[in-house]
Amino acid sequence: MRQESLVTKYDYDFENDSIFFYGSNKKYRPSIDLDGIILDISEDNQIMAIEILDASNRFNLAKEDLRNIKYFEARIEVSEENIRLTMKMSVNKKNKLVDKGLDALGLNSMNLPISTQGIALSC
């Protein structure tokens, strides 16, 4: 099953170097931590938000650049055993768009149903 949702906004915490992409206003269920990439799950098993800790190091960008995100998308593939997350982001750096990507893989510890989900944000 393929599910798409639009992220409504993002926040970058410069001091803690974490990005939080907000999704829907659905009821929240516990999160899954994929080694510092935290997926917030809704009651209907959709990814409703993504938090990325140590973001500048993960994306190999200066912290200042993460204040200028222009586009973000994530593809989440849930199998019986694993959750695979593929992210793409564009930031405005010195009046040029710079594209970065990041992948994560973790166990499906919450037994989420098999699905493919996507989220996107354009700023």
Side-chain angles (χ1 to χ4, degrees):
M1 172 169 64
R2 175 93 176 149
Q3 300 170 344
E4 297 288 337
S5 64
L6 188 64
V7 177
T8 55
K9 65 178 183 172
Y10 83 95
D11 284 323
Y12 177 62
D13 181 336
F14 189 87
E15 185 175 319
N16 293 309
D17 193 22
S18 64
I19 303 173
F20 193 83
F21 295 97
Y22 297 88
S24 66
N25 291 328
K26 296 180 180 186
K27 286 197 167 199
Y28 169 76
R29 192 175 151 189
S31 301
I32 294 177
D33 185 344
L34 304 178
D35 192 28
I37 299 171
I38 301 159
L39 306 177
D40 288 348
I41 312 297
S42 67
E43 285 187 329
D44 63 354
N45 296 318
Q46 288 191 4
I47 307 304
M48 56 187 282
I50 298 173
E51 182 177 11
I52 304 167
L53 306 177
D54 196 26
S56 62
N57 287 328
R58 290 180 188 273
F59 283 104
N60 194 27
L61 287 166
K63 291 170 76 173
E64 292 80 17
D65 296 333
L66 292 172
R67 292 181 170 166
N68 298 306
I69 297 172
K70 297 300 175 192
Y71 180 77
F72 174 82
E73 73 176 19
R75 178 182 169 94
I76 305 105
E77 297 173 353
V78 181
S79 70
E80 192 172 312
E81 299 85 22
N82 297 311
I83 299 173
R84 179 178 304 277
L85 177 63
T86 305
M87 295 173 280
K88 296 178 184 175
M89 180 171 57
S90 296
V91 298
N92 193 3
K93 184 173 181 161
K94 297 182 181 177
N95 295 322
K96 287 178 30 181
L97 281 181
V98 176
D99 296 325
K100 293 290 183 168
L102 181 62
D103 296 324
L105 179 67
L107 294 176
N108 184 0
S109 59
M110 290 179 59
N111 297 316
L112 296 175
I114 296 170
S115 67
T116 301
Q117 302 177 37
I119 62 172
L121 169 70
S122 292
C123 303

